[in-house]
Amino acid sequence: MNMAADNDPETEVFEITDFTTASEWERFVSRVEEVLNDWKLIGNSAGRSAPEKGGYTTGTWLEKSQDINFADFKFYISHFTLKQDSENDNEKNVLEEDAFPSAMQDLLCMNNDFPPRAHCLVRWYGIQEFVVITPGTNCEAIISESKCNLLLSSISIALANSGCQVPMFVQIQQKWRRMYAGECQGPGVRTDFEMVHLRKVPSQYNHLSGLLDIFKSKIGCNLSPPPPINIAIRFTYILQDWQQHSWPQQPPDFDTLLGGEVGGVEFGKLPFGACEEPISELHLAATWPHLTEGIVVDNDVYSDLEPLQAPHWSVRVRTAENPQCLLGDFLTEFFKLCSKKEATEEFLGRGLAEEEGQENTDISSALSRLTEPTATVPISKLSVSNMVHSARKHIRRHRRVAESPLNNDVLNSVLLCLFPDAAGEKSSDNSKNKPAQSNVCGKAEQDKNSDYNIYLQLKSAPIDSLTYRLALCVCLINYNHGGLRAVAHLWQEFVLELRYRWENNFLIYGLAGGPPDLRCCLLHQKLQMLNCCIERKRARDEARRAQEGSKQRERRSSQNGRPTSDSTAPSATKEASSGKSWDSWSDSEDEFFECVSDQGETELSHTEGEKDGSKNKAEGRLHPYNNTILLNSTEPLYIPITQEPAPMTEDLLEEQSEVLAKLGTSAEGSHLRARMQSACLLSDMESFKAANPGCVLEDFVRWYSPRDYVEEQAEDESGNKVVKGELSARMKIPGNMWVEAWETARVTPARRQRRLFDDTKEAEKVLHYLAMLKPADVTRHLLPCILHSAILKLKEEESIEDIPSVRKSIQQSTSQASKLLHPPNYDYKKIEDFINQLIAMETVITRARSLKAKFSICEGEKGEDTEELEKFVSSLLEEPEVEVIGAGQGPAGSIIHKMFINAQRLADFTSDEAALLSALEEDLSSDRKQTGGSNKVPDFPPPAGREILLRTCVPRPTPYSKALPQRLFCVLMKEEFRLAGAFSSDTSFF
């Protein structure tokens, strides 16, 4: 038993509690102190100077945050401060040690009583530096009283331990209530920040006198007489009814639209403007900044606080969120087409394809029939244009049964906008002159308008071009006349019109002459390529007609007994050839294959040229080359008439580059690549041989590539200095392509050569490419043009309203668009963001237009007020709140007063009665003095919000304590009552 008793204490486990170990609460306090030290918020904060008037709004607020934890509960600790000038930072060293913290001084500062844009604590307490501890994002709110007190104790200890004089707040209750409690400590003083928040305003505190009672009871001042209480009051009135003002968007001419007379003007421009009121509310703040208790009366029976008597008025506008704007809607709907996948046949009916297959197979076999030697039908009946128009008749007959996506009136109006030259009779002369007129207009426009060349940055098309007009028409058709089906219908008709013009030699209106401009979008290049083909074909047909005319004249002369000698015909041909390009002499049979008779004639002339080297056998000369003589004869060296290089679009160039790159770097691949690239060189060599009989390769090199012919001075046998020349080293390399090409080149003038550019083949390729495009492909091709048009429209509208911020945004957007629209594959997410930027700019312009309409000067007012009103409207767009000069008696104030009067009058009537009454009120208002209470209906509605600020400086908690600042900010709204108090007390003499 004794042993067992002795062993019992050893078997027991003793738990020793170490009270020196830090608890979670102590760790939290320590962590707060560390953060305050890291942010250098320790020590006297009284060095901050009082902010200037309006400094809280115009100044820069700095913010930094950090995470801290209380056990496993996450908090954010944030520091907010108004950026100070560097001069004020050096004043801290000369401050008195017992000076009040700057936050206490801010409580009494009157320079920034109602800042329009600031943190809520800045508005309620007027402080310019503070620290806030808030619960983490997904953490529950601090609701229980014990937790709130624990946090308040924590910050109180942290402030005391660290000596920080910056006020610190803790957010409590639900976040939407914006409830804060806090504390600020100084040498021998402390300020407690308290708050009350209710849903309803207690009736006894619904006026100034009741709030003064609360303030007096809270500060508990027993001095006699009591120190004066400074009062600042702001009443906010909201205007929401804009019925008395005009519709923000000019209504369209419905008679014209419904009558079917939709002209080119309607389809040639983008719409602009808001379809709804972009300004939802106007907030008028009437402020009494400096009042004392005895000056004003405001109780449950009577109030002196009439807005017209307020010395200060300020206005802010609340804008509608994403108002519907026409330009933005058009761009958005157009952009949506880019993601569609339907083909044209899906919209225009599969039955149509079956009908074509049964009744009309002309198009599918058009080219084969044209080249069949056994065709029994006349060639004129086998043209592609006849077959296309035959198919078009079937298409339209089919559409009469099933309703067309576009009615004929709209379709004809669009086609007339795209092809205005079609309005008159389509003659060769008219179509020849139309593109020239278009280009002249474009040059004049380019000289007048500096924005003309924006299309080069955006890879779009000139604003006077067919491609640009097509983009506008597609955009308008998509939005107003049937969407994707209508676009598919329009595109089909557009391609048919292009084919008609190709087959009938009508140049396409609105395209600059020359080869495709690679700086423009691919669709514009394709249309230019088609125009090039039409030009070449027309030149060939005209030359054929001229040749036939000369043959007929020869026949007539021979029939009249005046036979023409063999020698005169070649000379006449030679004279005619000088100054004419090779296209003028290409025979019609060259359209698909080389003429055999021409080849024989060429070979014959070549043989004769070898026998007789006279210059009469030369063909295709343009003019002598710099008095240069051929090396092996005394004849001058002539520049030949050569074929023009084949024009190419960027997709053909890329395709050609890929083919050449696939040949590899082997010797055989390099040789084949050189042969493919030497087609133009071979043609020029043949033309040179025809123009210079008896020439050698050195002669050609001297003209074609002078740097490859090296000349040196040497002495002959007699000792005279002579100039001798030879080919360069690269020309002497064995297997040189130039040497091989020269040996294979025949003596053939350009007019008898096989065409480098087969306009028939290229035109059919372009038309096939266009016909195969889906509606979504068309919109993707036209996207740069429509964005180009939108930017120009914004520039035009901004120049009317003169908004600097929008002007700057447009410049930035143009440079941004140039980067987005140049890659071959667009980043559609970035383009969508870009369109949203354009919509935002349109919204700003419509807001400016709406405000200018509302603050327009009436006829009876003086002209000098115009500048002041324009400045006022401009400030409303740029600043959060604008002061009204002259308050209710100024030009802007009187307009605002009338707005409220009209809204009040109209509130009690129906819309019809209101319209009649508003006209009467305008007539009476000019003859009647506006006096409060003279009418049954008050001029202003009840204030939507009332803010009352009470300040004083009294000793607390005892009469012999230091006199310290006290402040109470009161917010009274329909569904909110808030009291934010800052009460200071003396901690040394209490």
Side-chain angles (χ1 to χ4, degrees):
M1 288 293 293
N2 291 335
M3 289 180 62
D6 294 335
N7 292 336
D8 284 341
E10 296 179 4
T11 58
E12 293 179 5
V13 178
F14 293 97
E15 182 177 352
I16 301 174
T17 303
D18 186 2
F19 290 99
T20 61
T21 304
S23 64
E24 293 292 347
W25 175 61
E26 290 173 315
R27 291 194 184 97
F28 176 72
V29 174
S30 175
R31 182 66 183 133
V32 172
E33 294 176 20
E34 290 177 11
V35 173
L36 295 177
N37 275 290
D38 292 343
W39 289 344
K40 299 180 181 179
L41 302 180
I42 308 303
N44 197 333
S45 68
R48 298 182 68 91
S49 60
E52 298 179 356
K53 189 171 183 62
Y56 284 0
T57 303
T58 59
T60 303
W61 285 88
L62 306 178
E63 178 185 355
K64 50 188 174 184
S65 300
Q66 200 167 325
D67 296 343
I68 56 173
N69 291 325
F70 192 128
D72 57 350
F73 196 94
K74 185 177 181 180
F75 287 95
Y76 292 126
I77 180 169
S78 304
H79 176 233
F80 298 85
T81 181
L82 181 66
K83 188 176 181 180
Q84 293 283 303
D85 296 333
S86 58
E87 301 173 358
N88 299 329
D89 296 338
N90 300 327
E91 297 177 3
K92 293 186 178 181
N93 300 329
V94 297
L95 294 172
E96 299 179 4
E97 293 183 0
D98 58 348
F100 287 165
S102 61
M104 289 190 180
Q105 302 171 24
D106 293 339
L107 296 177
L108 298 178
C109 181
M110 299 181 184
N111 291 338
N112 296 276
D113 280 349
F114 303 101
R117 184 169 53 195
H119 194 283
C120 60
L121 291 174
V122 176
R123 187 176 185 87
W124 295 335
Y125 297 115
I127 51 181
Q128 53 181 321
E129 184 179 18
F130 56 96
V131 176
V132 182
I133 297 177
T134 58
T137 305
N138 298 319
C139 298
E140 60 183 10
I142 310 299
I143 298 176
S144 68
E145 186 176 356
S146 60
K147 290 182 179 179
C148 293
N149 291 333
L150 184 63
L151 283 176
L152 284 173
S153 301
S154 302
I155 65 171
S156 180
I157 295 173
L159 290 174
N161 291 343
S162 62
C164 175
Q165 296 186 7
V166 177
M168 184 176 289
F169 296 86
V170 175
Q171 185 172 14
I172 58 178
Q173 304 299 325
Q174 294 85 354
K175 290 187 177 181
W176 62 267
R177 297 183 65 182
R178 296 191 299 173
M179 289 278 289
Y180 295 89
E183 186 175 320
C184 177
Q185 294 186 9
V189 292
R190 186 184 72 218
T191 300
D192 295 310
F193 298 93
E194 305 170 6
M195 198 169 291
V196 174
H197 183 241
L198 303 175
R199 282 189 176 274
K200 297 293 182 182
V201 181
S203 58
Q204 66 271 31
Y205 305 129
N206 198 20
H207 39 73
L208 176 60
S209 59
L211 297 172
L212 282 170
D213 293 340
I214 293 180
F215 188 53
K216 291 176 183 177
S217 64
K218 182 64 179 178
I219 60 178
C221 180
N222 297 321
L223 295 181
S224 181
I229 297 176
N230 180 275
I231 304 171
I233 300 176
R234 167 172 287 205
F235 284 4
T236 302
Y237 301 88
I238 297 179
L239 180 64
Q240 296 175 311
D241 186 7
W242 304 108
Q243 291 182 7
Q244 70 274 23
H245 296 284
S246 60
W247 194 23
Q249 176 63 31
Q250 186 69 23
D253 187 354
F254 289 106
D255 294 335
T256 302
L257 293 176
L258 297 177
E261 300 176 2
V262 184
V265 176
E266 292 293 330
F267 284 102
K269 59 183 180 181
L270 286 176
F272 189 89
C275 297
E276 56 183 308
E277 178 56 64
I279 306 295
S280 60
E281 294 177 353
L282 182 142
H283 292 197
L284 169 65
T287 307
W288 293 263
H290 304 295
L291 297 174
T292 55
E293 187 175 355
I295 291 179
V296 67
V297 176
D298 179 43
N299 52 39
D300 55 354
V301 178
Y302 174 79
S303 177
D304 288 332
L305 301 175
E306 289 292 335
L308 280 178
Q309 307 302 323
H312 294 286
W313 275 18
S314 57
V315 172
R316 68 167 66 196
V317 291
R318 177 170 291 180
T319 56
E321 292 185 7
N322 303 321
Q324 183 184 3
C325 294
L326 289 175
L327 179 62
D329 285 356
F330 273 66
L331 292 179
T332 303
E333 292 301 319
F334 186 88
F335 181 69
K336 287 179 181 177
L337 291 184
C338 297
S339 59
K340 304 293 183 182
K341 298 181 180 179
E342 294 85 354
T344 304
E345 308 86 57
E346 298 181 39
F347 296 104
L348 303 182
R350 293 183 179 82
L352 175 62
E354 295 173 3
E355 181 181 333
E356 288 179 352
Q358 295 172 0
E359 300 182 10
N360 185 12
T361 58
D362 290 343
I363 294 178
S364 60
S365 59
L367 296 178
S368 61
R369 290 194 182 192
L370 284 172
T371 54
E372 282 178 4
T374 59
T376 57
V377 183
I379 292 295
S380 61
K381 299 294 184 182
L382 287 175
S383 68
V384 177
S385 62
N386 288 333
M387 300 171 189
V388 169
H389 286 293
S390 175
R392 183 184 288 187
K393 292 178 183 177
H394 289 290
I395 292 171
R396 287 176 176 166
R397 190 184 308 129
H398 177 79
R399 286 190 186 139
R400 288 191 186 97
V401 179
E403 186 178 354
S404 298
L406 280 175
N407 64 58
N408 286 335
D409 291 336
V410 174
L411 180 60
N412 291 335
S413 298
V414 177
L415 292 177
L416 189 60
C417 172
L418 295 174
F419 304 100
D421 58 332
E425 183 181 358
K426 287 185 177 179
S427 65
S428 298
D429 295 336
N430 289 340
S431 60
K432 186 186 299 183
N433 297 331
K434 286 294 181 181
Q437 293 175 3
S438 174
N439 294 340
V440 169
C441 295
K443 289 177 182 176
E445 183 74 16
Q446 184 176 1
D447 294 337
K448 293 179 182 177
N449 190 356
S450 60
D451 296 332
Y452 182 85
N453 290 325
I454 289 181
Y455 78 92
L456 299 178
Q457 301 178 44
L458 305 182
K459 200 169 175 61
S460 168
I463 58 176
D464 57 346
S465 66
L466 172 64
T467 315
Y468 187 88
R469 295 196 306 274
L470 176 64
L472 294 174
C473 291
V474 168
C475 186
L476 293 165
I477 287 294
N478 172 59
Y479 191 84
N480 287 330
H481 299 282
L484 195 56
R485 293 182 72 247
V487 171
H489 185 187
L490 173 61
W491 180 248
Q492 185 188 59
E493 293 290 339
F494 179 79
V495 175
L496 288 175
E497 177 67 24
L498 294 181
R499 180 171 285 281
Y500 176 85
R501 287 172 176 263
W502 155 246
E503 289 295 327
N504 293 276
N505 289 356
F506 292 118
L507 287 173
I508 302 171
Y509 180 87
L511 295 176
D517 188 350
L518 301 182
R519 301 171 299 176
C520 298
C521 63
L522 180 59
L523 182 60
H524 188 75
Q525 296 176 38
K526 292 289 184 183
L527 296 178
Q528 285 184 304
M529 173 68 88
L530 184 59
N531 230 20
C532 288
C533 297
I534 296 173
E535 287 178 353
R536 298 282 179 97
K537 184 182 175 187
R538 284 178 55 160
R540 192 169 61 253
D541 291 348
E542 289 173 2
R544 184 190 63 211
R545 285 194 295 269
Q547 208 170 31
E548 289 176 353
S550 64
K551 288 180 181 178
Q552 289 178 359
R553 286 192 297 272
E554 289 176 3
R555 291 194 194 100
R556 291 195 195 100
S557 62
S558 62
Q559 291 173 0
N560 293 335
R562 292 191 300 272
T564 305
S565 64
D566 295 339
S567 61
T568 57
S571 63
T573 304
K574 179 188 68 176
E575 291 174 4
S577 66
S578 61
K580 283 198 174 185
S581 67
W582 73 277
D583 281 329
S584 305
W585 296 98
S586 180
D587 292 333
S588 61
E589 287 79 8
D590 276 347
E591 187 165 343
F592 289 100
F593 51 87
E594 212 166 34
C595 179
V596 177
S597 61
D598 283 350
Q599 290 181 17
E601 185 180 345
T602 303
E603 292 170 359
L604 179 63
S605 63
H606 179 47
T607 304
E608 293 176 353
E610 289 176 351
K611 295 177 180 178
D612 182 11
S614 65
K615 64 180 179 180
N616 292 331
K617 297 297 185 292
E619 294 184 86
R621 287 178 170 178
L622 192 60
H623 58 77
Y625 176 65
N626 296 339
N627 299 322
T628 307
I629 306 299
L630 295 177
L631 294 176
N632 295 340
S633 70
T634 58
E635 296 293 328
L637 188 152
Y638 280 87
I639 296 177
I641 297 172
T642 59
Q643 294 194 50
E644 295 180 12
M648 300 188 77
T649 56
E650 63 182 22
D651 60 331
L652 295 179
L653 287 171
E654 185 177 354
E655 182 181 337
Q656 186 184 63
S657 301
E658 290 178 358
V659 170
L660 295 176
K662 288 179 180 178
L663 294 176
T665 56
S666 63
E668 183 180 358
S670 300
H671 185 75
L672 184 58
R673 186 185 301 108
R675 287 184 62 87
M676 291 176 64
Q677 293 175 315
S678 64
C680 186
L681 175 67
L682 181 63
S683 170
D684 293 341
M685 285 181 171
E686 292 181 345
S687 301
F688 188 85
K689 282 186 174 181
N692 298 281
C695 63
V696 293
L697 176 60
E698 285 80 358
D699 294 318
F700 178 77
V701 171
R702 285 196 296 163
W703 164 64
Y704 207 81
S705 180
R707 283 187 288 185
D708 283 310
Y709 187 77
V710 182
E711 291 183 338
E712 295 179 352
Q713 287 188 350
E715 293 184 359
D716 57 4
E717 298 175 354
S718 305
N720 298 324
K721 291 185 177 181
V722 295
V723 177
K724 291 187 177 181
E726 60 179 357
L727 294 176
S728 64
R730 78 182 185 102
M731 287 292 179
K732 296 178 180 179
I733 297 175
N736 183 275
M737 182 55 62
W738 286 53
V739 177
E740 292 184 9
W742 181 262
E743 292 173 354
T744 58
R746 299 175 301 175
V747 181
T748 311
R751 64 186 178 86
R752 299 188 181 279
Q753 295 174 8
R754 187 181 185 88
R755 285 178 288 163
L756 292 177
F757 177 63
D758 190 342
D759 51 74
T760 307
K761 176 183 176 183
E762 293 301 325
E764 289 298 332
K765 284 171 63 177
V766 170
L767 291 169
H768 177 75
Y769 176 86
L770 298 178
M772 291 297 103
L773 287 178
K774 297 179 180 179
D777 299 329
V778 176
T779 55
R780 279 193 285 268
H781 280 298
L782 295 175
L783 190 58
C785 295
I786 207 67
L787 293 180
H788 175 198
S789 178
I791 290 175
L792 291 183
K793 187 66 176 179
L794 286 169
K795 279 196 167 190
E796 175 189 344
E797 299 293 335
E798 186 279 327
S799 64
I800 299 173
E801 305 302 333
D802 190 20
I803 309 171
S805 60
V806 175
R807 192 181 310 122
K808 183 178 179 181
S809 298
I810 291 174
Q811 294 173 354
Q812 295 173 347
S813 298
T814 305
S815 59
Q816 180 184 357
S818 64
K819 300 174 183 176
L820 289 176
L821 299 176
H822 271 286
N825 298 319
Y826 298 148
D827 187 336
Y828 289 101
K829 182 65 178 73
K830 291 184 178 179
I831 292 179
E832 184 178 6
D833 295 339
F834 176 76
I835 291 175
N836 291 333
Q837 293 177 20
L838 300 182
I839 295 173
M841 285 183 264
E842 181 190 17
T843 305
V844 174
I845 295 174
T846 56
R847 287 170 184 164
R849 191 160 293 169
S850 175
L851 288 173
K852 285 186 176 181
K854 292 172 177 55
F855 287 93
S856 60
I857 301 175
C858 300
E859 295 179 0
E861 293 184 342
K862 298 180 181 179
E864 59 261 17
D865 295 334
T866 306
E867 185 177 351
E868 182 179 328
L869 286 173
E870 289 180 352
K871 184 178 179 181
F872 175 75
V873 170
S874 177
S875 299
L876 276 177
L877 292 169
E878 306 289 340
E879 301 174 13
E881 190 171 283
V882 181
E883 183 179 353
V884 180
I885 299 175
Q889 311 305 321
S894 60
I895 293 175
I896 295 170
H897 185 198
K898 290 176 184 177
M899 290 181 186
F900 276 98
I901 291 174
N902 292 334
Q904 286 293 98
R905 300 295 184 271
L906 298 176
D908 295 336
F909 294 90
T910 63
S911 59
D912 294 335
E913 294 170 336
L916 294 172
L917 187 64
S918 61
L920 293 174
E921 287 294 334
E922 288 179 1
D923 296 336
L924 295 174
S925 60
S926 59
D927 302 329
R928 179 188 63 195
K929 292 184 177 179
Q930 301 294 344
T931 56
S934 61
N935 300 314
K936 294 181 180 179
V937 181
D939 291 355
F940 291 88
R946 291 173 290 164
E947 296 169 290
I948 299 175
L949 176 55
L950 309 176
R951 279 176 293 223
T952 189
C953 192
V954 299
R956 189 172 176 269
T958 61
Y960 49 84
S961 301
K962 291 180 182 178
L964 300 173
Q966 317 293 331
R967 177 184 173 113
L968 180 65
F969 192 93
C970 314
V971 180
L972 292 80
M973 300 176 68
K974 187 177 180 180
E975 295 185 353
E976 182 179 2
F977 176 71
R978 185 185 300 273
L979 300 177
F983 304 104
S984 305
S985 57
D986 189 341
T987 57
S988 299
F989 300 97
F990 56 90

